[in-house]
Amino acid sequence: MATSISRAPKKQSLSLGPGGYIRAPKLSHVVAERLRAQIAAGILKLGDTLPAERDLLSQLGVSRPTLREALRVLESEGLIRLGRGARSGAMVLGPSIDTAARYGALYLACHGTTLGEIHQVRMLLEPPLVSLLAAREKKDFLRSLERYVNAQRAALNAEDYAAAITAIDEFHGQMLEFSENRALSLLMGMLQGFPAAGYSKFLLTGGESVTKALKQRTVKSTESHEQLVNLMIVGKPAQAEAFWRRYMEETADFLARTRIGKFRVELQGWPQRGSTPG
């Protein structure tokens, strides 16, 4: 269903650019901002179709190149999906955690964030989350967590430590999903995948001592996940939180001891190129 868009203002606000010169925003950016604001306000909803190009041109009072540039900006942000040449009307996708998390991951990689720093954030946030989950009366979500624990066990039995590490990271992600807290999901979504990719890398490049320690830690993580699920099943939030805090603190000690925590993440989740811990 098409959603009408109010006409863009005739006057543009001015801002000071470099050197104090007055700089007006590009008209295409003004148009993109108006559409973006309507998506944020719920005026344009997921699945809505924007009016056809000729109608938008009439409503907004801008040129075709300006409109198309504005729509391309929104498409690059993952907010809309364009039809053929923007003539058939674009579909509203709306913002997603995945899109926001990609920008966040880029920021972390560009600023030299380490695996240790990522774990520190998880250590601050996950124990209280565990308490909230353990206190819930409905325990349906635990079946999903148990599946990831079983996947970890199966991978360890096959001595596939990379698969076990992936399942461990997915266990963390599932706990986050069940939090039903959008702000927390956004924050933690930026961190998802970095630890698993980094640890898997060190399985191959970390040297004999680090590889051995990482495998032992993977086994310990699976055992801890099993214990945590059992505490959630019996509904012991305080004990579950205390247990998980100790587990996260032990992991922090492991990262410091092996020096894995010192390594910078890359955009794809890999530690920064260079020497590896011995």
Side-chain angles (χ1 to χ4, degrees):
M1 180 181 67
T3 305
S4 62
I5 303 172
S6 57
R7 183 181 298 274
K10 294 181 180 179
K11 294 183 179 180
Q12 299 180 29
S13 58
L14 301 179
S15 60
L16 292 180
Y21 295 103
I22 295 178
R23 176 176 56 84
K26 292 181 64 175
L27 187 54
S28 60
H29 290 180
V30 174
V31 173
E33 180 58 33
R34 291 181 68 82
L35 295 172
R36 193 183 297 115
Q38 292 194 25
I39 292 172
I43 299 172
L44 293 171
K45 298 180 175 61
L46 176 66
D48 282 352
T49 301
L50 296 182
E53 184 180 82
R54 63 179 180 275
D55 297 323
L56 282 175
L57 291 173
S58 175
Q59 293 172 14
L60 295 170
V62 296
S63 67
R64 180 173 284 107
T66 295
L67 174 62
R68 290 185 175 180
E69 182 177 353
L71 295 179
R72 283 194 295 269
V73 168
L74 296 178
E75 184 183 38
S76 70
E77 295 173 351
L79 295 177
I80 64 172
R81 182 172 65 240
L82 292 176
R84 292 174 298 177
R87 294 181 182 276
S88 60
M91 177 177 290
V92 177
L93 303 178
S96 69
I97 288 177
D98 288 342
T99 300
R102 282 197 295 272
Y103 283 102
L106 176 61
Y107 175 88
L108 295 175
C110 288
H111 287 78
T113 305
T114 65
L115 291 175
E117 289 174 318
I118 288 176
H119 179 75
Q120 185 178 40
V121 175
R122 297 175 86 169
M123 187 165 59
L124 291 171
L125 296 178
E126 285 193 11
L129 171 59
V130 161
S131 178
L132 291 174
L133 293 177
R136 286 186 181 172
E137 293 184 5
K138 294 184 177 181
K139 305 292 185 179
D140 294 347
F141 69 93
L142 290 175
R143 287 197 292 269
S144 179
L145 294 181
E146 287 178 324
R147 283 196 294 271
Y148 282 107
V149 171
N150 292 337
Q152 295 171 41
R153 253 319 151 204
L156 289 176
N157 290 338
E159 297 187 355
D160 188 346
Y161 288 92
I165 289 171
T166 298
I168 287 170
D169 193 62
E170 290 171 342
F171 180 95
H172 288 263
Q174 279 294 294
M175 285 202 304
L176 171 64
E177 182 176 335
F178 291 127
S179 73
E180 299 176 356
N181 184 312
R182 295 294 184 182
L184 182 60
S185 295
L186 174 60
L187 179 61
M188 294 296 289
M190 297 179 188
L191 312 180
Q192 191 70 21
F194 278 127
Y199 300 159
S200 295
K201 176 77 170 183
F202 288 124
L203 282 175
L204 301 175
T205 64
E208 183 177 354
S209 61
V210 170
T211 299
K212 180 180 179 180
L214 187 53
K215 290 180 177 180
Q216 292 173 343
R217 189 62 199 168
T218 302
V219 173
K220 176 63 176 178
S221 294
T222 297
E223 294 172 348
S224 297
H225 288 186
E226 290 176 331
Q227 294 179 54
L228 177 63
V229 169
N230 290 333
L231 288 171
M232 289 181 174
I233 290 174
V234 297
K236 295 185 176 181
Q239 293 91 325
E241 180 176 355
F243 170 77
W244 201 244
R245 193 178 303 280
R246 288 195 301 272
Y247 163 72
M248 299 293 283
E249 289 171 350
E250 290 171 0
T251 302
D253 291 340
F254 161 78
L255 292 174
R257 186 175 66 255
T258 59
R259 293 185 289 166
I260 290 176
K262 294 288 186 182
F263 283 76
R264 296 169 56 182
V265 299
E266 294 179 345
L267 186 57
Q268 298 301 319
W270 303 110
Q272 196 74 357
R273 293 180 179 84
S275 60
T276 55

